[in-house]
Amino acid sequence: MTIVAVTVTALLAVAGALTLTRIIRGPSILDRAVATDVLLAIIVAAIATEAAYSKDATALPVLVVLAVLGFVGSVSVARFAARRNDK
């Protein structure tokens, strides 16, 4: 089980690092917004992995709040981009 936890942690760390480079180097604001949403999904996956590994359910409310925050943020950016393209 420890090998799986280390592997998952390493994969999430690499994914987070690649996402951070996309946030920094993104050519447009929409690329940065999508990368921020992906980073939030990676954070949710990391918290869920830790909760599953430690068999502790106290992190579930945090996961729900982060998931709703990611959804609302994505919808807000999409509406902003749609309005910006209409003008």
Side-chain angles (χ1 to χ4, degrees):
M1 186 67 173
T2 305
I3 294 172
V4 173
V6 170
T7 304
V8 169
T9 303
L11 289 174
L12 287 172
V14 169
L18 290 173
T19 304
L20 282 174
T21 58
R22 176 49 56 195
I23 290 172
I24 293 169
R25 296 179 58 196
S28 71
I29 192 70
L30 287 178
D31 289 332
R32 289 184 173 99
V34 169
T36 304
D37 191 39
V38 170
L39 185 62
L40 185 63
I42 292 169
I43 291 170
V44 167
I47 293 172
T49 302
E50 190 275 327
Y53 183 72
S54 66
K55 297 178 183 169
D56 188 20
T58 58
L60 290 179
V62 174
L63 292 174
V64 171
V65 168
L66 286 176
V68 169
L69 181 68
F71 174 74
V72 170
S74 296
V75 169
S76 299
V77 168
R79 289 188 64 168
F80 175 74
R83 284 186 184 171
R84 193 171 185 190
N85 289 335
D86 287 343
K87 292 181 180 181

